[in-house]
Amino acid sequence: PAVSLSGRLFCHVSINDSGDRRRNIDHFGFLEDGTFKQRYLVNNEHWDQKGGPILFYTGNEGDITWFCNNTGFMWDVAEDLGAMLVFAEHRYYGESLPFGQDSYSDTKHLNYLTSEQALADFSVLIRELKRKVLGAQESPVIAIGGSYGGMLSAWLRMKYPNVVVGALAASAPIWQFPDMVPCGDFYKIVTQDFARSGLNCDSNIRRSWKAIDNITATDDGLQWLSGEFSLCSPLKKTDLDDFKAWLQETWVNLAMVDYPYEANFLQPLPRWPIQVVCKHLNFDPSSVSDYQLLGGISEAARVYYNYTGNCPCLNTSSTATGNLGFIGWYYQACTEMVMPLCTDGVQDMFEPQDWNFQAFSDECNSLFGVRPRADWAATVYGGLDIASHSNIIFSNGGLDPWSSGGVTRNISDSVVAIVIPDGAHHLDLRYNNEYDPHTVLSARIQEVEYFKLWITQARKLQIPG
Amino acid sequence: PAVSLSGRLFCHVSINDSGDRRRNIDHFGFLEDGTFKQRYLVNNEHWDQKGGPILFYTGNEGDITWFCNNTGFMWDVAEDLGAMLVFAEHRYYGESLPFGQDSYSDTKHLNYLTSEQALADFSVLIRELKRKVLGAQESPVIAIGGSYGGMLSAWLRMKYPNVVVGALAASAPIWQFPDMVPCGDFYKIVTQDFARSGLNCDSNIRRSWKAIDNITATDDGLQWLSGEFSLCSPLKKTDLDDFKAWLQETWVNLAMVDYPYEANFLQPLPRWPIQVVCKHLNFDPSSVSDYQLLGGISEAARVYYNYTGNCPCLNTSSTATGNLGFIGWYYQACTEMVMPLCTDGVQDMFEPQDWNFQAFSDECNSLFGVRPRADWAATVYGGLDIASHSNIIFSNGGLDPWSSGGVTRNISDSVVAIVIPDGAHHLDLRYNNEYDPHTVLSARIQEVEYFKLWITQARKLQIPG
């Protein structure tokens, strides 16, 4: 099908200022005294220069222009709020590389890739902007982010409430850490998304793993499967685990981006892509052969990988846009961002897999020479006990697997949850669309109401006496 | 005079548990994966093992047993609160040396001496104690500290409100940072303490600097001054700046420990030591010669250095107890703890001296190979803008020069200030004494009332639903 790539590319047409101010490579020690250029993008076309607010996107694990282009919400509300928009890139991603091309070269150079350093970067940048931009001295700043960026925006408010007056943490799984939520919820939600999107859809995927085993027992079967999936590199026996992991990640990604309209976030996709996927998987599982089943699976996978029709073969080495920094994120998972996930094959449609911290730790050690600290995130970011904070909105999509680790109930009057039943991964941060379900429209309205409340509160505090 | 050293030495008789659990040397990076033993002291003689609270002293720049022995308040209130007492040593001080004897060897080894690392140590220790001590799982923890330790207790509540339910920050100059308070206030308060403690006292000290210059213009004068002060090493011309700095620090220390009873904190001293000092400086400044004036000054200094009568000569290389870690603190001042102080000779009794950041930075660089980051403390700890926090008491003594950088007015209902007009440096943290002014007694009563309120709040939050 001919695809008009959706998403207005705001950041390439509307950025009227940008910069790459220098940050300390190490905010928490004084031996390493080097600095690096942090990239950020600014739009002030609607900004009320007399102290109008600043909406500050706390960049996550990727190129900031890509997040900028996928955060239409900020552009949609700028005029109403008289707000300046700032999109700040996260260190070690995009162009904000502390050691240039060497940033990923070894454990030593990776040492400053942590969320604490990133939060410090954001705080220093905000204070610098307020000091240097005429009219911004008294501007209340609101942190906004999605996914890991949403975790950062919540944590920025928690750790630096002097710097931001509030935070919108969209689809931010701040509780997806050891001993906080059941490790199986994530894949349960993925499975529910497929179950609700077409008859037999989850059952056929659940059956497919065994079918892959059956068929790839022979060399002929391996060859058939490679052809059926149009794989760029034919499968070898030893590739099977990777192949299954790639398929599993495909279904996860689809659950994350199951948006109600054509979009291009992780991949260019049709509206409600899981429904389109499930059309290829609606047969009665008991009535088809393994070959027929896997034929359907390959059609389904193609919805995700080849909606544009421009993809000559499927590459099992990646599942999503190159704008995300996978190695960096994996390093972060291997240090602070320890997020247990598991499957049981019963409540989810995947092969059973326990969460094995030791195995994960060993893998991290062999890959990066570091070992994850399982308990650190709970210590430094408060775990389940976040009631003493204020002015944070946690928004979650009911379709989003990451809502498993999200805050989905009000914690207090000012640490609140907004659930968008028909929403996938931070749908609320995307621009308004005619196909938006009313639940996301009302979520965005509530979010802006909270912003206005925080801005009013901040202005009151500024009145002397 | 025969001196009975005051201060019941609690920590040597009453500690029924202590430990040295291992901490990560670097909480904020994963390259350095070493650990070190952090010392802490525990008393649970009055602890209600069914979830009684924990009073947690956030150790500052010195040996923890010394702080333990000088924090009688915690021992005095333990029974009433059914509280466990914990005194945790700050890394790089006392016996808690991350690299043993090498900890101070160079910039590289000093790199992990920061307040952020210390706060992380405390948080990890508290979580560990709650996990491992039977009955402590639900114990509300209250942070208590004085001076830099008080800053740490306030910051612990600000940064880790999940770990402590509240904090008593006694004489904690959290605002003694660039652009927060006037740099001259500190020495103004010192001067006021002398002015109120005896006729002509501050005027004679103000005149003494010039008298020193006059007399030391000749070699005979230098020799006379060395003899008059019973200096261990005779003064040379080039020592004059150091000699004046030593005298200045002597007056500052006296202002800090101007307690209403005999005590031994920085030095063994009589009750109201500045009044005793001022008895030697009560003559009319215009009626005495430089020799007579400096004779009085030397008698005054001896009150501070030789109250025990056991001191054969005065040593100008140090001004206080060896329990404090001066090098470590100087390194901290040279990195994060940039506290501008200045004098003008008019509103204070010292020689005029501007605050010169560049000169300070150069000195730090030559001493430690680091340069201070003047703006960092304001960024990371909120500066003047701390209203969004909760459950912090800032207590300040009116006599204490450090109250210049303290929080001396209520910020909100739960970030409150208690001023003790007759109190010197964290007098409220000392044990009850018959000579205590009523203002400190009522401060301690208020503090305990807040503790009880926080404990009640915490218990309410624990009730499910």
Side-chain angles (χ1 to χ4, degrees):
Chain A
V3 172
S4 67
L5 283 188
S6 56
R8 302 173 226 150
L9 295 181
F10 302 97
C11 294
H12 295 295
V13 298
S14 304
I15 288 302
N16 46 18
D17 183 21
S18 71
D20 49 10
R21 294 186 194 269
R22 301 204 75 91
R23 301 278 151 258
N24 288 314
I25 290 174
D26 189 2
H27 293 285
F28 301 102
F30 293 75
L31 175 65
E32 169 58 70
D33 64 350
T35 59
F36 73 98
K37 289 183 182 176
Q38 179 181 25
R39 180 165 59 151
Y40 63 93
L41 313 172
V42 177
N43 177 288
N44 53 23
E45 119 195 51
H46 295 297
W47 185 46
D48 170 6
Q49 210 184 326
K50 294 197 189 77
I54 297 173
L55 303 185
F56 186 92
Y57 188 89
T58 51
N60 28 330
E61 71 282 22
D63 186 302
I64 193 61
T65 57
W66 182 63
F67 292 110
C68 181
N69 283 324
N70 279 282
T71 312
F73 169 69
M74 285 168 63
W75 300 84
D76 280 343
V77 303
E79 187 168 3
D80 177 24
L81 293 167
M84 183 194 303
L85 307 183
V86 179
F87 297 85
E89 194 159 67
H90 189 298
R91 56 167 58 201
Y92 285 86
Y93 298 102
E95 296 181 1
S96 299
L97 301 173
F99 301 101
Q101 295 310 307
D102 294 332
S103 299
Y104 282 87
S105 58
D106 57 25
T107 316
K108 189 161 171 283
H109 288 88
L110 277 165
N111 193 44
Y112 309 99
L113 172 49
T114 67
S115 57
E116 290 90 345
Q117 299 277 8
L119 294 175
D121 289 338
F122 295 146
S123 297
V124 173
L125 171 57
I126 290 170
R127 284 169 58 90
E128 210 172 87
L129 288 172
K130 290 182 76 164
R131 213 163 37 232
K132 296 187 179 169
V133 175
L134 190 70
Q137 280 67 24
E138 306 293 315
S139 290
V141 181
I142 293 170
I144 298 178
S147 197
Y148 169 52
M151 297 161 77
L152 291 170
S153 70
W155 294 338
L156 189 62
R157 172 64 188 167
M158 293 182 191
K159 292 294 187 182
Y160 298 85
N162 51 311
V163 173
V164 294
V165 302
L168 168 57
S171 297
I174 64 158
W175 287 344
Q176 194 70 49
F177 289 99
D179 305 323
M180 296 190 201
V181 293
C183 62
D185 284 0
F186 180 92
Y187 285 106
K188 261 197 254 181
I189 298 169
V190 176
T191 303
Q192 285 158 11
D193 290 352
F194 284 80
R196 73 197 282 282
S197 298
L199 192 65
N200 298 325
C201 197
D202 60 319
S203 310
N204 281 313
I205 293 175
R206 187 180 283 107
R207 238 196 79 191
S208 69
W209 314 108
K210 184 72 174 62
I212 292 170
D213 289 341
N214 293 342
I215 281 182
T216 57
T218 68
D219 287 346
D220 281 358
L222 267 176
Q223 207 182 331
W224 175 85
L225 194 67
S226 305
E228 186 66 23
F229 274 80
S230 312
L231 297 183
C232 303
S233 315
L235 282 176
K236 295 189 295 281
K237 272 255 180 252
T238 50
D239 297 336
L240 275 189
D241 284 350
D242 288 347
F243 176 74
K244 286 179 179 175
W246 169 79
L247 259 187
Q248 177 162 329
E249 203 169 294
T250 304
W251 310 138
V252 167
N253 288 356
L254 275 160
M256 283 169 61
V257 296
D258 195 24
Y259 295 129
Y261 48 82
E262 242 181 21
N264 179 8
F265 186 54
L266 301 178
Q267 293 278 2
L269 288 174
R271 68 180 297 232
W272 293 122
I274 298 185
Q275 289 183 15
V276 180
V277 160
C278 288
K279 283 190 184 134
H280 301 284
L281 295 169
N282 59 0
F283 36 77
D284 177 349
S286 63
S287 74
V288 293
S289 69
D290 286 343
Y291 288 96
Q292 287 170 307
L293 172 62
L294 294 183
I297 294 282
S298 90
E299 289 300 322
R302 249 179 268 268
V303 170
Y304 181 75
Y305 289 107
N306 197 20
Y307 179 52
T308 59
N310 296 329
C311 188
C313 62
L314 301 196
N315 181 349
T316 59
S317 68
S318 99
T319 64
T321 171
N323 287 305
L324 282 168
F326 290 101
I327 304 176
W329 181 249
Y330 206 69
Y331 173 84
Q332 292 195 258
C334 273
T335 48
E336 298 180 306
M337 300 293 127
V338 180
M339 298 186 161
L341 299 177
C342 62
T343 49
D344 66 6
V346 179
Q347 299 195 74
D348 57 64
M349 63 188 187
F350 301 100
E351 293 189 291
Q353 177 88 57
D354 289 340
W355 163 245
N356 183 337
F357 178 73
Q358 193 53 53
F360 177 62
S361 175
D362 291 344
E363 192 183 331
C364 292
N365 193 39
S366 78
L367 275 172
F368 296 113
V370 295
R371 289 196 178 273
R373 295 176 188 161
D375 196 45
W376 175 241
T379 303
V380 72
Y381 295 125
L384 300 175
D385 182 7
I386 57 171
S388 65
H389 299 287
S390 61
N391 294 5
I392 306 176
I393 305 166
F394 291 98
S395 66
N396 282 283
L399 307 180
D400 180 19
W402 289 111
S403 67
S404 63
V407 178
T408 54
R409 59 177 194 276
N410 287 356
I411 302 293
S412 70
D413 284 353
S414 81
V415 177
V416 298
I418 294 176
V419 175
I420 305 157
D422 302 320
H425 204 42
H426 47 68
L427 174 62
D428 50 332
L429 291 193
R430 302 184 67 80
Y431 59 87
N432 283 319
N433 185 290
E434 57 179 319
Y435 292 110
D436 271 331
H438 70 92
T439 53
V440 75
L441 296 175
S442 90
R444 291 188 189 121
I445 289 168
Q446 278 184 72
E447 287 162 4
V448 172
E449 278 170 5
Y450 277 110
F451 291 178
K452 289 179 176 171
L453 176 67
W454 301 337
I455 292 165
T456 308
Q457 285 173 349
R459 295 236 165 93
K460 272 192 194 143
L461 282 176
Q462 279 164 11
I463 298 166
Chain B
V3 171
S4 67
L5 282 187
S6 55
R8 302 175 226 150
L9 295 179
F10 303 97
C11 295
H12 295 296
V13 299
S14 305
I15 289 299
N16 46 18
D17 184 20
S18 72
D20 49 10
R21 296 187 192 270
R22 301 204 73 92
R23 302 278 149 258
N24 288 314
I25 290 174
D26 189 2
H27 293 286
F28 302 102
F30 292 75
L31 176 65
E32 168 60 69
D33 64 350
T35 59
F36 73 99
K37 289 182 181 178
Q38 179 181 25
R39 181 166 58 151
Y40 63 93
L41 314 172
V42 177
N43 177 289
N44 53 24
E45 114 195 55
H46 295 297
W47 184 47
D48 170 6
Q49 211 184 327
K50 294 196 189 77
I54 298 173
L55 303 185
F56 187 93
Y57 188 89
T58 50
N60 27 331
E61 72 283 19
D63 186 303
I64 192 61
T65 58
W66 181 64
F67 292 111
C68 181
N69 284 324
N70 279 283
T71 312
F73 170 69
M74 285 169 62
W75 299 85
D76 280 342
V77 303
E79 187 169 2
D80 178 26
L81 294 167
M84 183 196 301
L85 307 182
V86 179
F87 296 85
E89 195 160 66
H90 190 299
R91 56 167 57 203
Y92 285 85
Y93 298 101
E95 297 181 359
S96 300
L97 301 173
F99 301 101
Q101 295 310 309
D102 294 333
S103 299
Y104 281 88
S105 58
D106 56 25
T107 317
K108 189 160 172 281
H109 287 88
L110 277 164
N111 192 45
Y112 308 99
L113 171 49
T114 67
S115 58
E116 290 89 345
Q117 299 277 8
L119 294 175
D121 289 339
F122 295 146
S123 297
V124 173
L125 170 57
I126 290 170
R127 286 170 56 89
E128 209 171 87
L129 288 173
K130 291 183 75 164
R131 214 162 39 231
K132 295 187 179 167
V133 175
L134 191 68
Q137 280 68 24
E138 306 293 315
S139 290
V141 181
I142 293 170
I144 297 178
S147 196
Y148 169 53
M151 298 160 76
L152 291 171
S153 70
W155 293 338
L156 189 62
R157 173 63 188 169
M158 292 181 192
K159 293 293 186 180
Y160 297 86
N162 50 312
V163 172
V164 294
V165 302
L168 168 57
S171 297
I174 64 159
W175 287 344
Q176 194 70 50
F177 290 98
D179 305 323
M180 296 189 202
V181 293
C183 62
D185 284 0
F186 180 92
Y187 285 106
K188 261 197 251 181
I189 298 170
V190 176
T191 303
Q192 285 158 11
D193 290 352
F194 284 79
R196 74 198 279 282
S197 297
L199 191 68
N200 298 326
C201 196
D202 59 320
S203 310
N204 281 313
I205 293 176
R206 186 181 284 107
R207 236 196 81 189
S208 69
W209 314 109
K210 184 73 174 62
I212 292 171
D213 290 342
N214 293 342
I215 282 184
T216 58
T218 68
D219 287 346
D220 281 357
L222 266 177
Q223 207 183 332
W224 176 84
L225 195 66
S226 304
E228 186 66 22
F229 274 80
S230 313
L231 297 183
C232 303
S233 315
L235 282 177
K236 294 190 295 280
K237 272 254 180 253
T238 50
D239 297 336
L240 274 189
D241 284 349
D242 288 347
F243 176 74
K244 287 178 178 172
W246 169 80
L247 259 187
Q248 178 162 330
E249 203 169 294
T250 304
W251 310 137
V252 167
N253 287 358
L254 274 159
M256 283 169 61
V257 296
D258 195 24
Y259 295 130
Y261 48 81
E262 242 183 19
N264 178 8
F265 186 54
L266 300 178
Q267 294 277 3
L269 289 174
R271 68 179 297 230
W272 293 124
I274 297 186
Q275 289 183 14
V276 180
V277 160
C278 288
K279 284 193 184 128
H280 301 285
L281 294 169
N282 58 1
F283 37 76
D284 177 351
S286 63
S287 73
V288 293
S289 70
D290 286 341
Y291 287 97
Q292 287 168 308
L293 172 62
L294 294 183
I297 294 281
S298 91
E299 289 301 321
R302 248 179 269 269
V303 171
Y304 182 74
Y305 290 108
N306 197 20
Y307 180 54
T308 59
N310 296 327
C311 188
C313 61
L314 302 196
N315 182 348
T316 59
S317 68
S318 100
T319 63
T321 171
N323 288 304
L324 281 168
F326 290 101
I327 305 175
W329 181 250
Y330 205 69
Y331 174 84
Q332 292 195 256
C334 273
T335 48
E336 298 180 305
M337 299 293 127
V338 181
M339 298 185 162
L341 299 177
C342 61
T343 50
D344 65 7
V346 179
Q347 299 194 75
D348 56 64
M349 63 188 186
F350 301 100
E351 292 190 292
Q353 177 88 58
D354 289 340
W355 163 246
N356 183 337
F357 178 73
Q358 192 53 53
F360 178 62
S361 175
D362 290 344
E363 191 183 333
C364 291
N365 193 38
S366 77
L367 275 173
F368 297 113
V370 295
R371 289 196 178 273
R373 295 177 188 161
D375 196 46
W376 175 239
T379 303
V380 71
Y381 295 124
L384 300 175
D385 181 7
I386 57 171
S388 65
H389 299 287
S390 60
N391 294 4
I392 307 177
I393 305 165
F394 290 98
S395 65
N396 283 282
L399 307 180
D400 181 18
W402 289 112
S403 68
S404 64
V407 179
T408 54
R409 59 177 193 275
N410 287 356
I411 301 295
S412 70
D413 284 351
S414 81
V415 177
V416 298
I418 294 177
V419 175
I420 305 158
D422 303 320
H425 204 42
H426 48 67
L427 174 62
D428 48 333
L429 291 193
R430 303 184 67 79
Y431 60 86
N432 282 319
N433 186 290
E434 57 179 320
Y435 292 111
D436 271 331
H438 70 91
T439 53
V440 74
L441 296 175
S442 91
R444 291 189 188 121
I445 289 168
Q446 279 184 71
E447 288 162 4
V448 172
E449 278 170 5
Y450 277 110
F451 291 178
K452 289 180 177 172
L453 176 67
W454 301 337
I455 292 165
T456 308
Q457 286 173 348
R459 295 235 164 92
K460 272 192 194 142
L461 283 176
Q462 279 162 14
I463 298 167

